[in-house]
Amino acid sequence: MVNFGKKLMANRVQEWEKYYINYKLMKKKVKQYVQQMEQGGKERCHVLKEFSRTLDDQVWISSGFLFILAYFGQDYFEFIEKTVLFFLEQQGIIAHRIQELGEERTLLLEQPVISKMSELREAYIEVGHDLLKLLRFVDMNATGIRKILKKFDKRFGYKFTDYYISTRSNHPYSQLQQVFKHVGIAAVVGALSHNLAEIQERQGSYPSLYDQPSTAMMVQDPVIYLIQESVDKLTHSTNFLKFLGQHALIHEGEEQVDERRYHFVSLLSNLVNTFLYMVNTYIIVPTADDYSMSLGAAATVCGIIIGSMAVAQVFSSVYFSAWSNKSYFRPLVFSSIVLFLGNTLYALAYDLNSLTILLIGRLLCGMGSARAVNRRYISDCVPNEIRMKASAGFVSASALGMACGPALAGLLQTNFKLYRLTINQDTLPGWVMAFAWLAYLIWLWISFKEPVRNTDDVVLWLAKLSNLVKQLPTVLVLQVQLLIYFMLKYSMEILLSESSVVSGYYFGWSTGQVAIFLAVLGLTVLPINAIVGTYISNMFEERQILLGSEILVLFGILLSFKVTGTYAVPQYVGSALITFVAAEVLEGVNLALLSQVMSSRLARGTYNGGLLSTEAGTLARVVADGTITLAGYLGESWLLNVTLLPSLLICVGSIAATLLTYNSMY
């Protein structure tokens, strides 16, 4: 791969040379600071102040890059406070040229002259190419600043980016928000597109381009396609993939992954593991109450049955995360074997008439949770250029598994004997998943390629653990966001796990109807994330979306309570959709903010951000499922309101904590 410094030198525009970031100088400064720190010549606070001033100077010089920074979001826009005026000047020059050409265009449209129209069209195309040149200039400078910041973070073990965000982007005189909404550049692109299309061969005798059929806009100059493609990619595709990547809490680092570590089929098997585990988690939800009653227990014992898997996952997440320091293949093999055994025991429990065997089976399934390995593999072994897509694939596989689990359970409605084994809606999910994990194990053994490991991988987690001490300024925000994550997972688990009991008690729903309801809920995940990651995140700050989503979750919980003599299906379904969708939005935004709060050193290794979020979410599921079973002792008529009350209190607490730390969230 070409060194960025050389790439910057080779691709710079000569007439703008003095405005480019001095990347070589900045790298030299970082190296000098490291040497001075190691020799005890300077304290950390002095280094940060000096580096801030140096970076400010570079940002002032490399002042054309704010457009890309604004499009890419909070990882970049913190550097543009002092560059706004320069870019507005460049943008104004292009806008002025378009305005002058527009006056000429108006005259020519009244009295068309073919030769003049052709010259005018070429002039517009020239403006378009100048705009593209400006965008490329912006991109190079933005990349340079981003790499320097990441390099500084990595060498010092300190998230300097957080400090820079808080002091630059939230200053009372910052013009950041004006540019971040990118209204100006959108207007320039729109005017250029409209005027170029206007002077092309017109169809019919329409008074204006806007009155023509949409087909009239189909033919545009290639330069417009290039500009629009760039804008669409930045505002839609990149934001959505980045949003999903943050949802997975998978690190998007600067360090390059050794190509020998990447193997596409291994990545695919990793994602299949993610999908199968989520199917395994939710395939029993529609039938867990019926299974518990067939074994002589109360229907509400389904909370323990469902939650036992999460109990085991609390522990498995830690040892799988540690194991992935040494291997990826062996943990995945172990996971598949344990899940095969766990599902087999789950299915056999019916004929053995043993609730204990059933619970042991679910505990084994939880012990086979390799999601920590799934995250770690993508973070460590997938090259940077496709890591965002792989992260989005991780979230998509999880969402698809969450939807397919209940849907598959709805299809397994049968009842017959195979020798001495009973095959019915209660046992068939176990047998199906046992077979699926056995098939996956065989494929994994044949196709997975253990990546080449770096020598420092085994001890890297120690550096990450020690870095926790350095994160005191962000500890409170981190705690609040983990509380929010706990709250949303608790609320979702209450909704999903008790759905079969509640809907059966109040509405008489069958297993198939419960399965359809849960599948529909699961299928909302990806479209909702697409809307938030593509559009809403461009319109509002992440902390605004966070607070709004919490309020919607609160509204959904309040709407779920049974306060009258009757409890209707529209109330239950409507409140469930509001709660689930709001919680899904909240999860994505919360993890996006969480990834920014955590130190870059917590991105990988045993004690990483993914592990912290997994433990918080798993603990929430354990508590929620336990609450369902405990509430069941009061009777099914009390189950709904009693289980919703803790959700309500935790949600109110998380909103209060969010308001207290709101100004510290970036």
Side-chain angles (χ1 to χ4, degrees), residues 280 283-284 286-292 294-295 340 342-354 357-358 362 408-409 412-418 420-435 511:
N280 208 149
I283 193 173
I284 73 159
T287 58
D289 59 333
D290 183 74
Y291 204 167
S292 64
S294 69
L295 297 179
F340 168 75
N343 283 287
T344 301
L345 289 178
Y346 181 85
L348 289 174
Y350 189 91
D351 290 303
L352 296 175
N353 193 29
S354 173
I357 296 296
L358 183 144
R362 285 296 286 180
L408 184 58
L412 303 179
Q413 304 298 303
T414 187
N415 192 352
F416 64 92
K417 281 279 189 178
L418 184 63
R420 295 183 179 181
L421 299 177
T422 302
I423 308 298
N424 59 21
Q425 66 174 11
D426 296 331
T427 64
L428 201 50
W431 292 122
V432 168
M433 293 312 304
F435 176 79
T511 299

Side-chain angles (χ1 to χ4, degrees), residues 249-465:
L249 262 188
I250 293 172
H251 178 54
E252 184 187 354
E254 282 299 303
E255 58 272 22
Q256 293 298 319
V257 171
D258 190 334
E259 291 184 358
R260 293 176 299 169
R261 308 188 81 184
Y262 174 63
H263 183 234
F264 173 74
V265 177
S266 299
L267 172 62
L268 184 62
S269 65
N270 189 64
L271 295 177
V272 171
N273 183 282
T274 301
F275 169 76
L276 287 178
Y277 186 78
M278 294 303 291
V279 173
N280 208 149
T281 300
Y282 290 98
I283 193 173
I284 73 159
V285 172
T287 58
D289 59 333
D290 183 74
Y291 204 167
S292 64
M293 288 189 294
S294 69
L295 297 179
T300 51
V301 174
C302 68
I304 292 180
I305 296 174
I306 298 170
S308 57
M309 192 170 177
V311 171
Q313 190 178 344
V314 172
F315 304 98
S316 66
S317 296
V318 177
Y319 69 72
F320 270 114
S321 184
W323 200 351
S324 62
N325 286 320
K326 299 179 180 180
S327 174
Y328 302 101
F329 175 68
R330 288 192 292 272
L332 290 177
V333 170
F334 177 78
S335 166
S336 303
I337 294 173
V338 171
L339 281 157
F340 168 75
L341 294 175
N343 283 287
T344 301
L345 289 178
Y346 181 85
L348 289 174
Y350 189 91
D351 290 303
L352 296 175
N353 193 29
S354 173
L355 183 62
T356 302
I357 296 296
L358 183 144
L359 292 175
I360 292 174
R362 285 296 286 180
L363 284 169
L364 282 176
C365 289
M367 296 300 288
S369 172
R371 286 176 67 80
V373 181
N374 302 146
R375 279 191 175 101
R376 178 76 180 274
Y377 182 87
I378 295 174
S379 181
D380 287 358
C381 303
V382 176
N384 286 21
E385 56 268 20
I386 64 170
R387 191 178 301 160
M388 190 181 294
K389 292 181 180 179
S391 302
F394 175 85
V395 176
S396 302
S398 299
L400 187 60
M402 184 179 179
C404 287
L408 184 58
L411 298 175
L412 303 179
Q413 304 298 303
T414 187
N415 192 352
F416 64 92
K417 281 279 189 178
L418 184 63
Y419 297 105
R420 295 183 179 181
L421 299 177
T422 302
I423 308 298
N424 59 21
Q425 66 174 11
D426 296 331
T427 64
L428 201 50
W431 292 122
V432 168
M433 293 312 304
F435 176 79
W437 284 113
L438 181 60
Y440 172 78
L441 177 61
I442 296 172
W443 177 49
L444 180 73
W445 196 278
I446 296 172
S447 64
F448 192 88
K449 180 181 178 182
E450 183 74 82
V452 177
R453 304 194 67 84
N454 293 330
T455 57
D456 61 344
D457 278 352
V458 177
V459 297
L460 188 61
W461 67 273
L462 290 172
K464 293 169 175 39
L465 181 61

